[in-house]
Amino acid sequence: MDDPYRAPGTLAEKPPWKGPPTLKRSLRTVWSWLRRSWWRIALVSIGLEEVALAIKVHVIGPTDGPYLAVLLSALMFAVELWCGLIVSGAVIRIVLDEEAGRAVSIRQALVFGVGRAPAMLVAVALRMLLAVLATLALGVGRIAVHGRLLSVDALFALNLQDREGGVFGGAKEQSEGHTWHLAVLWICCLGPRIALNVVMFCSPLLVGVMDWPHDWIMLPARPLSILAKISYALLPLGGLAFLLSSRHNAGLATPLFWREDPVDPPADGPQALFQPLS
């Protein structure tokens, strides 16, 4: 039998996620996707998060009333969550199509993200709620929660959720035995945001020690905060890398349903990329 990974038009003869799921393999897969599709990923993630920020600042805005403040905070959370869901779906579509040698437009990716956002809504919102509760109760429990449920976005974006897997589509069961791997992967995918927080934390110290003008320290804040928004794309890609490795290792196919759409016909052979070796 011909090697199914040697499909015509592919950019890689063998996807980096092929093999048992490990931290090294997941990080290498995310890096491969980021290096190949960096400008599309950055444009989608930064663009949508800037849109969310503009809505929160200029449309919702601040308020004085305590009850209205709670309502507006909920609206801000909803705007950020919805934009994050669209980012997740869009970047997943981008990297999987480009890995198969089939470039996808930003419009196609955004349409896909908007279409898959409702499917991801409940599971991702519950993951965020559990992470907050774990932070309050256990401190570092948030890392474990996000790690164990890191592949939720990819499961629902690819319509692979197991009907018997509960509200999280089987992501929790799938991650058993990989908690440390996924927790570290989650932290690594948050790298840009962590770096920004470190810079902002250390900036007052630099002002005092170096005797710099106070306004100087604010100059890099805006560019760094924009760059940090790429972490919203890295998180679903980390979950996707783990999902593909674990499914391949279990001998499961990962069909990409949008390639069966007659409006958007597939190129020759890319579907074979996501079939397990016999």
Side-chain angles (χ1 to χ4, degrees):
M1 176 181 175
D2 293 336
D3 187 346
Y5 290 95
R6 295 174 184 254
T10 59
L11 296 179
E13 291 186 348
K14 186 172 68 174
W17 45 261
K18 177 196 170 187
T22 63
L23 177 61
K24 181 179 179 180
R25 176 167 285 112
S26 295
L27 289 173
R28 189 170 66 241
T29 301
V30 173
W31 172 247
S32 173
W33 287 335
L34 185 62
R35 184 178 56 186
R36 181 180 301 152
S37 312
W38 67 270
W39 73 269
R40 284 187 171 91
I41 292 173
L43 186 61
V44 167
S45 57
I46 294 175
L48 281 175
E49 290 306 320
E50 285 297 300
V51 168
L53 178 63
I55 292 174
K56 289 189 291 185
V57 172
H58 300 293
V59 177
I60 299 177
T63 183
D64 296 329
Y67 298 107
L68 190 56
V70 172
L71 176 60
L72 292 182
S73 296
L75 287 175
M76 290 182 181
F77 173 78
V79 169
E80 185 173 356
L81 173 62
W82 197 255
C83 286
L85 294 175
I86 296 174
V87 168
S88 296
V91 298
I92 286 172
R93 173 72 187 268
I94 287 171
V95 299
L96 290 183
D97 273 3
E98 290 204 352
E99 184 176 79
R102 175 180 176 161
V104 61
S105 69
I106 298 297
R107 182 190 64 81
Q108 286 176 306
L110 289 175
V111 168
F112 179 81
V114 171
R116 297 309 299 162
M120 295 184 280
L121 177 60
V122 174
V124 174
L126 282 178
R127 179 182 65 189
M128 297 176 69
L129 177 60
L130 288 176
V132 171
L133 294 177
T135 302
L136 296 176
L138 303 173
V140 296
R142 179 181 182 182
I143 300 175
V145 169
H146 275 295
R148 290 292 298 273
L149 300 175
L150 190 62
S151 61
V152 161
D153 305 69
L155 272 169
F156 284 84
L158 299 181
N159 200 25
L160 297 172
Q161 63 271 21
D162 183 1
R163 294 185 180 275
E164 299 179 358
V167 69
F168 295 115
K172 181 176 178 293
E173 294 75 11
Q174 179 193 58
S175 62
E176 289 182 0
H178 297 280
T179 302
W180 173 249
H181 160 192
L182 290 168
V184 176
L185 179 60
W186 179 73
I187 293 173
C188 291
C189 290
L190 280 177
R193 219 182 307 178
I194 294 173
L196 173 66
N197 290 335
V198 170
V199 170
M200 298 307 293
F201 176 78
C202 295
S203 59
L205 301 177
L206 292 176
V207 169
V209 173
M210 303 300 293
D211 195 26
W212 288 343
H214 186 272
D215 292 342
W216 282 25
I217 211 61
M218 300 307 295
L219 292 177
R222 184 58 178 156
L224 285 174
S225 65
I226 293 174
L227 181 61
K229 289 180 171 59
I230 200 171
S231 62
Y232 290 95
L234 297 181
L235 289 171
L237 293 184
L240 176 63
F242 170 78
L243 174 68
L244 293 178
S245 291
S246 60
R247 286 181 65 86
H248 181 273
N249 194 51
L252 298 174
T254 306
L256 305 182
F257 65 89
W258 64 86
R259 298 206 181 140
E260 301 172 1
D261 188 347
V263 177
D264 190 14
D268 295 334
Q271 184 67 24
L273 266 177
F274 299 92
Q275 302 294 334
L277 293 173
S278 62

